[in-house]
Structure formats: structure tokens, C-alpha cells
Amino acid sequence: MTERYLILSDGTTYKGQAFGSPATTSGNIVFNTSVTGYQEIITDPIYHNQIIVFSTPTIGAVGVNHESYEAILPTAKGVVVREVAEVSTNRQRTLSLDQFLRFNNIPGISGIDTRQLVRKLRTHVGPLNASIVDVADEHAFDQLNATVLTNQQVAQVATPRPYANPGMGHNIVVIDFGLKSGILRELAVRGANVTVMPYLTSADAILNLDPDGIVLSSGPGDPRNLPVSVLTMIKTLETRIPMLGIGLGHELFALANDATIERLPVAHQGMNHPIREIITNRIMYAAQAEEFGVDRDSIDRNQLLITHIDLIDRSIQGLRHRDYPAFSVQFFPDAAPGPWEATQVFDDFIELTGTRGEQR
Amino acid sequence: MAKEVVDAMAMQRALTRITYEIIERNRGISNLVLIGVKTRGVFLAHRIATRLHQLEDTVVPVGELDVSEYRDDVSVNIPVSKDAISNLTAPITDKKVVLVDDVLYTGRTIRAAMDAIMDLGRPNSINLAVLVDRGHRELPIRADFVGKNIPTAQNEHIRVSVEEVDQRDSVEIVTADEATK
């Protein structure tokens, strides 16, 4: 196997074996602790421009299948594993992980001591960049240090044009900030008639579609880098139409209601955090991909209720507006990948749109 | 044949949604009083109060109302008395009262309940929360918070079971024969 190198902008070099595409790439390096769901993770637009380190020892044992794509094309920049499974078997398998990465021009590197690497990433303050390269020389580090990654990730992955995902049920508008397919799948299961709108749409244009409900989708990057017009739009819409925010959508919902966002000391990337639904004291698990969170002290309790918290670091996982039928969750309730127990968030949302629809 | 239309999970979710809607409608819960209609409405009212306490760390008083003697369709008209409401420590004058019942049907229970509440004081407002609205109203009464609308035929019955007395949570549609068993 061809030797390749993973180099970090702090000067560290890791030697490993190549798999996937032979391309040289640079990106922001993050780790994910999920044991399953690597295909959904690699294809989720939230990992745009990121090199993903999987802490699970072996990745790729079930290959890649048609049902688990979270975007048409993955935009992750690399995959780092300790071991990639040589043989992949699964009833639904259509490609091996190696083939899939090759087709999508994403390099992978195996044979890395991911335990050590994860420990380093955990303790590192702020984002860290990395490259997967053929030769780890001075030139490669110069290239890496000269790399400037965009802070406008949403603009790179979100749809520039509206499109429909027709159904026979409630009329739902999804505002795309880098939508993962799981959100559309869960709405489709509930029969919703979905229109996906670009994030730079005006509130009026959305109201003209006469929606029963609005979903602010998940997406990549720092919500504070989005134009202020997005917050104005959310503020107008939340008073008129039932609203659900997910991931980045949750952070934007918080910003629109005067809370502030901060970078988490340790990002949540995985599905092992217990989340408490405060109102019922129920504990659930869901997939998380969070680098930012809502600052608890900044929440105006006269506007927002805290509905969910993470039991590991007490971070805010859910909010709800006191005066309007609008709520949001930081975690991913669409179970793609992840446990199914949080999908009731979509049931709650559809019920909310249903009851309000009759009153309107 | 009994047909389950709401399972335990869906009932929990409905009560959660109603709780949020109560907060939304009343702009907070500082002035709130819950009154459950016996038997099952009382348990539902306590569950809503527990949820409000979880969220807001405020104890909302829960009263228990027994209207069985005052229903105009059950017996001859006996004047409604304030003694029908028990366990309520706080006065209800100027409070926002939320009446909680399991099934909204003809509306006669609710009318009797309102009479009993009015007898006790003059609340700022009375809202109605029900787990199931099955239609067939005989009075101009509607619920403000509905767990689930279940259209039914006149000869069908709705059976609500709650953990506290029935050892399980569910809502079923049953035939008239089954209902009397």
C-alpha cells in the first residue's frame, strides 16, 4: 500500500497508508466518535471542508449503500481511520468505502493512531487545519499554512434555487443552510409537501408560499458569519408560522432571539451524549455535530425556554419561544445516522403545524 | 373491538405539547390555576403541573372538581355548589384557570364545571384543555388545547386509560357494549 502523510498545522506529522482518492487536500480537522453511520457522516454537508477522523477502530465494514446519502455529493475533504475494512458486506452495499471515496475525489488515510490524534484534537483550543499529502516536507507545511479556508461554508453547500419535494400533507418550507437529506426523509415519511428555499430568500417570498410550517435546516460553519438579513427573516417568520430549527438552524433561531453563540471548548461529534428533555425528564440519545453552542447566560428567559440540555457538558440542546409556536434542537433528530428515539421532534413539529393550521 | 388510537408515547407527547401551548397562550404561568375534572382529568392536570414545574420551577396549584352530581343530563338539576372543587388552596379570583378533562363530548360536563368555578370566585379567564375531542357537542363550547381530535360515531365510546388508575396510558375507541363492561 502506498504510504501517505497526515500533517497538522501545529507541525505534527502522522504516517499512514493511502486509500480512497490519491488527491492532496487540506481542511479543518475534526473527530467523530460514532461507531456506525460513517457514510451519512462523510456525506453530511455539515462536514464541508473538513477532514474527519473516526475514533472507531475499524471503518468501512458495511460499504456504502444507496439509502444513506445525506447529500448528492459529499464535500468533506478527507477521512482518517485506524483501519479500513478490506472486505465490506451488507445486503444493501453497492460500493466499498474505498471505491466511494475514489469516485468522489476524497482521500483517505489509514493506519493512524486515532486515539492519540483524538486526544490531541480534544485538548487543542480552536480549529486546527490538516492536509493529507504524499510527502511531509517543508513545502507541504508551507502549503498547509498558506491555505485559507472559506468562512462562508453555507454559501458553498446550500441550494441557490428553490425545489420541491412533493407530498400530500402539510405545506412545509425548508430553508436550506446546508440541508442533510435526513430532514427531507423524515418530513416525507410524515407526508409533508416540502418546498426547499435558498437561505437568502426574503420573509415575504416565504409567506407567499402559504406554509403551514417552516424548518430552518442544519448546515456547516459559524452562524455568526451569515448575513444579518437571515436573522431578520427568522424574526419575521417565527411570529407568523410554526417553526422548527435544527443544528445551524437552532443556532440562528437563538441568534434571532437575542442569544449569543460561542465555540464549544470540546466539539460534540458523535452520538454518545445523553440529552435530557427537561419537561418530561426523559433521556435520549441523538447524533450531534456541534462546534458551536448557545451561550446559556445570554438567553433571555422572557423570550426563550430551555427545553433540552446535554448531560455531559450542560450545553443547550433545545430552545422554544415563549410566545410563538417555534422551537429548535441543536442535535440531529433525523436519525441519519443515529438512534431513532429523537425522531418524535418531527412528530411534534407536524402536530404543531396541524393544530395551528386549523385556527388560522 | 377496542381500537387503540393514542398509545402511551403519543399521550405523553400530547400532554407535553398542551403544556407548551398553555405557557404560550397565558404568557407565562405565574397566575395560573389548573382544575382537573374527576376522575381522569385530575391525573392529567397533575401531569401538566409536573411538566410546568420541570420547565419553570414554579408550583402551579391543581384543584379537583367533581361534577358528577351536577350534570344536567344525569339527574335532575341540583344547584352547582363550590364544594364540588376540592384540594384547591389558592383563591381563583383574577386567576387564569385551565380546566383539564380527558374527553370533550357533549360539553355538558364542562358547562357544569364552569358553573362550579364561577361559584367559587371570578377568574380572569377559563381555558379548556382536553386530551381527546370526540365531537357531538350539544352546547356552544370548544377546547383551547386539544391533545387529539378523534371523530367518532354516536354509538362509539372513547375509553381513556391513565397509568395512575388503569395501570396503562392509552385512548381507545370502543363499542357501546364494551364501554359498559
Side-chain angles (χ1 to χ4, degrees):
Chain A
M1 269 217 216
T2 325
E3 280 186 355
R4 293 201 91 188
Y5 297 88
L6 171 73
I7 60 171
L8 308 189
S9 55
D10 68 352
T12 332
T13 305
Y14 295 87
K15 190 164 95 175
Q17 285 82 46
F19 72 101
S21 156
T24 294
T25 56
S26 303
N28 180 227
I29 189 164
V30 294
F31 69 89
N32 193 303
T33 57
S34 301
V35 176
T36 58
Y38 57 83
Q39 183 186 347
E40 291 94 328
I41 291 163
I42 294 168
T43 55
D44 187 342
I46 202 166
Y47 291 102
H48 176 70
N49 267 0
Q50 293 188 324
I51 292 175
I52 310 162
V53 181
F54 286 96
S55 67
T56 298
T58 304
I59 289 290
V62 291
V64 165
N65 65 66
H66 285 157
E67 291 99 84
S68 303
Y69 285 92
E70 287 303 301
I72 300 170
L73 291 172
T75 57
K77 283 299 179 74
V79 175
V80 179
V81 299
R82 195 184 74 85
E83 181 189 36
V84 62
E86 275 176 40
V87 179
S88 56
T89 47
N90 180 0
R91 184 169 51 85
Q92 292 150 318
R93 173 194 177 283
T94 56
L95 294 172
S96 72
L97 179 60
D98 181 59
Q99 286 171 313
F100 166 76
L101 292 179
R102 221 179 278 264
F103 291 166
N104 289 290
N105 210 25
I106 299 173
I109 185 165
S110 64
I112 303 292
D113 183 359
T114 48
R115 288 174 301 181
Q116 194 274 341
L117 179 54
V118 164
R119 219 167 282 157
K120 176 193 273 293
L121 296 177
R122 221 175 227 296
T123 48
H124 188 271
V125 180
L128 193 61
N129 290 344
S131 277
I132 297 175
V133 294
D134 294 329
V135 189
D137 56 6
E138 215 171 284
H139 175 68
F141 277 102
D142 284 347
Q143 289 274 320
L144 173 60
N145 292 328
T147 305
V148 179
L149 297 169
T150 176
N151 67 0
Q152 297 296 318
Q153 295 99 317
V154 174
Q156 307 277 320
V157 294
T159 181
R161 283 191 194 81
Y163 60 92
N165 192 24
M168 304 294 275
H170 293 292
N171 193 26
I172 306 294
V173 167
V174 176
I175 301 175
D176 182 7
F177 295 99
L179 179 67
K180 69 202 291 289
S181 304
I183 295 173
L184 294 182
R185 252 180 246 128
E186 289 301 312
L187 290 171
V189 165
R190 288 158 183 83
N193 179 43
V194 173
T195 310
V196 181
M197 295 295 282
Y199 69 100
L200 291 177
T201 315
S202 72
D204 281 343
I206 289 167
L207 290 171
N208 287 344
L209 295 170
D210 188 26
D212 298 321
I214 291 171
V215 177
L216 308 174
S217 88
S218 59
D222 186 337
R224 294 168 294 191
N225 293 333
L226 286 167
V228 186
S229 65
V230 170
L231 302 184
T232 322
M233 168 184 72
I234 293 171
K235 252 193 130 33
T236 312
L237 294 176
E238 72 177 11
T239 62
R240 311 274 292 272
I241 315 281
M243 183 180 276
L244 165 64
I246 297 170
L248 185 70
H250 155 86
E251 292 158 15
L252 291 166
F253 174 70
L255 280 175
N257 288 295
D258 307 323
T260 56
I261 298 293
E262 56 186 9
R263 183 175 277 277
L264 295 173
V266 179
H268 305 175
Q269 309 270 12
M271 25 185 140
N272 57 341
H273 284 215
I275 297 161
R276 186 163 75 93
E277 185 186 32
I278 293 171
I279 190 166
T280 54
N281 246 340
R282 198 171 73 98
I283 307 294
M284 56 182 153
Y285 289 85
Q288 295 177 317
E290 303 161 12
E291 287 182 75
F292 300 91
V294 179
D295 177 8
R296 178 185 287 268
D297 297 332
S298 73
I299 295 171
D300 176 2
R301 304 295 178 105
N302 292 321
Q303 280 193 75
L304 297 174
L305 281 164
I306 298 171
T307 58
H308 296 76
I309 55 166
D310 186 306
L311 289 181
I312 303 253
D313 64 1
R314 317 293 293 173
S315 64
I316 307 293
Q317 292 293 320
L319 291 169
R320 189 176 187 111
H321 205 287
R322 271 182 184 280
D323 301 333
Y324 310 112
F327 67 108
S328 64
V329 289
Q330 177 78 73
F331 55 87
F332 292 153
D334 54 321
W340 284 96
E341 58 204 52
T343 53
Q344 61 154 293
V345 166
F346 289 99
D347 294 324
D348 292 341
F349 173 63
I350 293 291
E351 270 174 28
L352 206 57
T353 62
T355 52
R356 304 306 157 122
E358 285 158 25
Q359 280 174 22
R360 235 159 257 278
Chain B
M1 260 286 283
K3 179 170 172 269
E4 188 178 59
V5 281
V6 175
D7 61 11
M9 195 63 179
M11 193 193 282
Q12 297 298 338
R13 285 200 2 259
L15 289 171
T16 297
R17 177 168 53 77
I18 288 172
T19 307
Y20 283 127
E21 286 178 7
I22 289 172
I23 294 174
E24 214 180 280
R25 178 77 61 90
N26 294 290
R27 314 261 149 173
I29 61 167
S30 54
N31 218 13
L32 210 62
V33 173
L34 298 175
I35 294 183
V37 179
K38 276 183 177 174
T39 307
R40 289 176 180 71
V42 172
F43 297 112
L44 299 178
H46 278 290
R47 289 196 199 176
I48 291 172
T50 308
R51 282 168 163 76
L52 288 168
H53 182 248
Q54 284 283 347
L55 271 182
E56 303 272 44
D57 208 21
T58 307
V59 178
V60 175
V62 178
E64 301 180 0
L65 173 58
D66 187 352
V67 292
S68 51
E69 290 176 40
Y70 309 116
R71 290 262 304 263
D72 59 4
D73 55 346
V74 175
S75 56
V76 284
N77 261 341
I78 303 165
V80 177
S81 114
K82 59 178 187 284
D83 301 334
I85 301 179
S86 56
N87 279 14
L88 192 64
T89 46
I92 61 165
T93 299
D94 293 333
K95 297 284 182 180
K96 291 172 174 172
V97 173
V98 178
L99 201 52
V100 184
D101 201 359
D102 53 355
V103 181
L104 178 58
Y105 180 31
T106 58
R108 288 179 192 274
T109 309
I110 302 304
R111 187 203 61 84
M114 285 193 292
D115 284 351
I117 291 168
M118 291 301 194
D119 213 26
L120 202 64
R122 189 193 178 282
N124 177 296
S125 63
I126 303 178
N127 282 336
L128 174 61
V130 295
L131 186 61
V132 176
D133 181 349
R134 62 164 292 195
H136 306 292
R137 214 79 75 245
E138 291 167 8
L139 294 171
I141 283 170
R142 65 184 268 283
D144 301 278
F145 313 105
V146 182
K148 194 165 178 63
N149 285 303
I150 303 177
T152 51
Q154 283 278 20
N155 61 0
E156 289 172 324
H157 285 255
I158 295 282
R159 182 160 65 203
V160 173
S161 308
V162 295
E163 190 84 52
E164 292 89 333
V165 279
D166 309 297
Q167 284 73 51
R168 67 195 194 107
D169 284 341
S170 80
V171 177
E172 293 160 302
I173 298 179
V174 295
T175 59
D177 302 345
E178 284 173 316
T180 51
K181 271 176 200 166

